[in-house]
Amino acid sequence: METLRAKFQQRNATAAVIGLGYVGLPLAMEIASAGFNVVGIDLDQSKIDKLKEGTSYIGDVSEKTIASAMKIGRFTPTSDFSVLHDVDTVSICVPTPLSKSRDPDISFILDATEKIRKYLHAEQLIVLESTTYPGTTDELILPELESSGLRIGKDFCLAFSPERIDPGNTAFNTRNTPKIVGGITETCTEIAHIFYSQFIECVIPVSSTKCAEMVKLLENTFRSVNIGMVNELALMCDVLGVDVYEVIDAAATKPFGFIPFYPGPGLGGHCIPIDPHYLAWKLKALNFQARFIGLAAEINGMMPTVVTTMVGEGLNRFSKSIRGSKVLILGVAYKKNVSDCRESPALDVMRMLIEKGAILSYNDPFVTSLRMNGKTLKSVDLTPANIQTQDCIIILTDHSNYDFRKIIAASKLVVDTRNATKDLQEFKDKIIKLGAGNNVASAPSHEDEHESLTANQASH
Ligand SMILES: NC(=O)c1ccc[n+]([C@@H]2O[C@H](COP(=O)([O-])OP(=O)(O)OC[C@H]3O[C@@H](n4cnc5c(N)ncnc54)[C@H](O)[C@@H]3O)[C@@H](O)[C@H]2O)c1
C-alpha cells in the first residue's frame, strides 16, 4: 500500500465518489478542494447534466464551488463507471432506503459494489459511506470484492466511514465534522485514515467496519428515541396542563446530564425515520427484539394524527369541521431552512387532511411544488389576503424567513407544532400549540393510531 499512502499524502491521487446526492456532492467538493482530482459518478443523468452546466441541486453546495472545481479540472461528473479503472479511491454514497415492507433496501449498495468489483485493481481504497446495518461491509462488500482474486489489506483496502452531514447546518460541514473510520484490517483503517485526514479536520479510527457502522446507528437511534420520548412528554404535558417547552427549557439549565430535544409533527428526512429500522432488522435476524426502536417509531409515527386531531379541535371552536374547511400548511420540508421533503411528516398530515375533506394548500419557500395523491400541488403565496381566507393555518416547519407575527395577526386559527409562536402571547387565544397544556393534543385512540400507522406506511 506504499504507493497509495504516498499518493494520499502528496495529494496527487484521483478519487471517485459514487452517488452525488446530499452526501456525495459535498464530499466530492471537499476532496477536490484539498487538491485531489475527483470524478463524481451518478446513475441519474439529469444530475450529471446539471453539474456539467455548473448548476447545483444541493442547497449546501454553491454553484461557484462547482464551477471553480470544474474549471481547474478537479471535478468531472459522469455516469460512466469505467472511470473507476483509473481511480485510487472510491467513496460509495448511494441511498439506503426501506423497502415497501420496511426492510433495508441495500440494492443500491450492491449495484455500486458490482460495478466497483469490475474495475477493482491493486493499490485502491474502497469506502462505504452510506448508512447501513452492522455487517454490510464485511459480510456483503468484502466477499464480492475478494472474488476478484485481489487480497484485502494487501492489494486493496476496504473501510466503512459513516457520513454525518447535517444539511442546512451553517456551523458544521463535511470538513469540520469529525469523521469515524473503521477498516477490515489495520492497514485498511490506516490508509482510510490518511485519505480522510487530507480534507477532514478530525478523523477518529475505530477497530472494525462493524463498529463504525454501529456508531452511525447509535447516533441516529439516539435521536429517534429521544424525539419519541419528548413527543410523548408533549402529550403528557397537554393532559397535565403544563407547557412542555417551558419544562424542557427549564430542564436544559442543568449544566450536566441533560440534552434538550423538542417535540414536533413527526420524524422526517432520509436518516432518523429509517436508519434505526436497519439496526432493528439486523437484530431481528439474530433473534433480538430492539424494543426502544419499535416504541420510538410507534410514538413518532402517531404525531401526524395528533396534529390532525388538534386541527379538528381548533375548528370545533368555530363550529366547523375539517371537511370543507380551508387549511393552509406552512412548511412541508422535514426541517427548517432545507428543501428536502423525504419522509416529511407534513406529507402524512396533508394526506390525512385531504382524506378528511379539507380544502388544503401549502406554502414553503424552499419547496415550490410537490406530488400528492397523484397530483402536483404548488406552493401558494403567503399574502395577508390569502391568510385571511383560511380557516386554519398549521405551522409544520418553522423556516427562518417566516414572519410569524404578521402571519398570526392575519389568521383566525393557528396550530403550532414547533413552538414558533412562543413570543406571540398577545395572539394566544387563536393559537393551539403542541404540548402547551391545551388538552387537545392527547394521544389518539387505538383506532386513530392504526390510521396513523397505515398512513405513514403508505407514504414510504
Ligand atoms: N441526507 C443526509 O442528511 C444524510 C446524512 C448522513 C448520511 N446519509 C446517508 O448517506 C447515503 C446517501 O444519502 P443521500 O441523502 O446523499 O441520498 P441522495 O438520494 O441525495 O443521493 C444518492 C445519489 O446516489 C445515486 N445513485 C443511486 N444508486 C446509484 C448507483 N448504483 N451508482 C451511482 N449512483 C447511484 C442517486 O441517483 C442519487 O443521486 C444514505 O445511506 C443516507 O442514509 C444521508
Side-chain angles (χ1 to χ4, degrees):
M1 290 294 149
E2 281 315 308
T3 313
L4 201 52
R5 194 178 278 111
K7 275 186 169 182
F8 287 161
Q9 281 162 344
Q10 290 155 18
R11 300 192 187 178
N12 59 9
T14 300
V17 175
I18 300 184
L20 299 172
Y22 288 92
V23 165
L25 190 59
L27 178 70
M29 291 302 121
E30 210 57 68
I31 303 173
S33 74
F36 294 98
N37 288 326
V38 182
V39 285
I41 308 173
D42 205 292
L43 292 178
D44 184 343
Q45 190 58 43
S46 69
K47 282 187 178 155
I48 299 301
D49 293 342
K50 278 189 187 134
L51 291 170
K52 281 185 176 160
E53 289 160 10
T55 308
S56 177
Y57 45 81
I58 300 287
D60 293 339
V61 178
S62 74
E63 300 195 334
K64 200 171 146 211
T65 306
I66 295 172
S68 60
M70 296 225 303
K71 197 171 166 199
I72 53 172
R74 287 260 163 76
F75 178 60
T76 314
T78 180
S79 49
D80 176 9
F81 282 80
S82 71
V83 293
L84 292 178
H85 193 269
D86 300 316
V87 304
D88 303 295
T89 176
V90 186
S91 302
I92 308 170
C93 306
V94 295
T96 43
L98 294 174
S99 67
K100 284 208 168 74
S101 56
R102 305 203 45 86
D103 289 336
D105 173 4
I106 54 160
S107 59
F108 300 93
I109 294 182
L110 296 179
D111 181 64
T113 306
E114 262 175 44
K115 285 166 173 148
I116 294 169
R117 144 95 181 72
K118 199 169 159 197
Y119 299 102
L120 190 69
H121 55 78
E123 298 283 328
Q124 206 174 25
L125 167 68
I126 314 298
V127 186
L128 177 62
E129 297 231 1
S130 303
T131 309
T132 183
Y133 60 80
T136 308
T137 313
D138 63 341
E139 292 164 10
L140 294 175
I141 300 183
L142 179 61
E144 173 69 15
L145 298 185
E146 278 185 318
S147 71
S148 65
L150 292 164
R151 294 160 308 162
I152 184 70
K154 296 203 163 49
D155 300 319
F156 74 98
C157 286
L158 174 62
F160 182 82
S161 181
E163 181 51 63
R164 285 170 155 172
I165 198 159
D166 181 20
N169 191 327
T170 49
F172 288 100
N173 49 42
T174 305
R175 173 171 286 272
N176 67 1
T177 304
K179 194 139 174 65
I180 305 292
V181 292
I184 297 282
T185 67
E186 276 180 29
T187 306
C188 296
T189 307
E190 186 221 335
I191 292 290
H193 188 287
I194 294 172
F195 172 58
Y196 282 108
S197 299
Q198 306 307 315
F199 54 92
I200 286 177
E201 287 170 12
C202 173
V203 181
I204 300 131
V206 294
S207 64
S208 64
T209 52
K210 221 177 230 170
C211 176
E213 288 160 339
M214 194 63 177
V215 169
K216 176 71 185 177
L217 295 178
L218 165 63
E219 291 166 8
N220 285 356
T221 302
F222 173 83
R223 284 191 63 73
S224 164
V225 167
N226 278 287
I227 293 168
M229 196 268 287
V230 86
N231 275 333
E232 190 176 49
L233 194 87
L235 303 181
M236 291 178 201
C237 284
D238 206 47
V239 172
L240 292 169
V242 183
D243 186 330
V244 71
Y245 298 98
E246 192 183 356
V247 173
I248 296 167
D249 289 344
T253 59
K254 188 180 176 189
F256 47 86
F258 183 81
I259 303 171
F261 282 82
Y262 294 93
L267 293 182
H270 188 41
C271 296
I272 314 293
I274 293 176
D275 301 348
H277 291 286
Y278 269 68
L279 184 56
W281 177 88
K282 176 71 179 180
L283 269 303
K284 201 171 162 195
L286 299 170
N287 218 10
F288 184 103
Q289 199 195 344
R291 285 176 290 170
F292 272 110
I293 292 175
L295 185 59
E298 193 183 310
I299 294 171
N300 292 326
M302 77 186 189
M303 294 313 289
T305 305
V306 168
V307 176
T308 311
T309 308
M310 291 166 72
V311 174
E313 291 286 341
L315 289 170
N316 200 37
R317 292 181 185 177
F318 296 88
S319 303
K320 290 194 168 180
S321 61
I322 291 178
R323 180 167 304 281
S325 288
K326 289 185 80 178
V327 178
L328 173 65
I329 306 268
L330 295 189
V332 293
Y334 83 92
K335 69 171 182 175
K336 72 194 290 180
N337 305 336
V338 302
S339 61
D340 193 350
C341 288
R342 289 178 299 176
E343 312 290 327
S344 175
L347 305 179
D348 288 333
V349 172
M350 290 170 84
R351 258 185 225 111
M352 282 182 210
L353 290 171
I354 289 171
E355 271 168 29
K356 288 184 189 301
I359 303 163
L360 195 81
S361 57
Y362 87 90
N363 170 277
D364 192 311
F366 297 89
V367 185
T368 49
S369 68
L370 59 83
R371 295 285 294 168
M372 170 80 36
N373 296 347
K375 289 187 188 145
T376 300
L377 299 183
K378 287 208 159 101
S379 173
V380 299
D381 288 342
L382 207 52
T383 59
N386 186 17
I387 293 169
Q388 278 157 13
T389 65
Q390 301 297 324
D391 295 304
C392 180
I393 308 277
I394 315 177
I395 303 169
L396 289 181
T397 308
D398 50 340
H399 292 306
S400 300
N401 50 3
Y402 280 139
D403 186 336
F404 286 113
R405 181 173 297 281
K406 281 193 184 148
I407 293 168
I408 313 296
S411 60
K412 296 185 191 101
L413 169 69
V414 176
V415 169
D416 178 7
T417 68
R418 297 285 189 179
N419 200 22
T421 57
K422 65 172 183 281
D423 299 324
L424 303 171
Q425 277 305 303
E426 66 270 37
F427 300 119
K428 71 176 186 327
D429 290 345
K430 51 174 151 176
I431 298 169
I432 296 179
K433 200 166 76 171
L434 176 65
N438 305 116
N439 204 9
V440 291
S442 45
S445 68
H446 189 66
E447 277 168 25
D448 287 346
E449 205 174 295
H450 176 72
E451 183 187 347
S452 148
L453 290 174
T454 313
N456 236 359
Q457 280 160 2
S459 75
H460 295 307

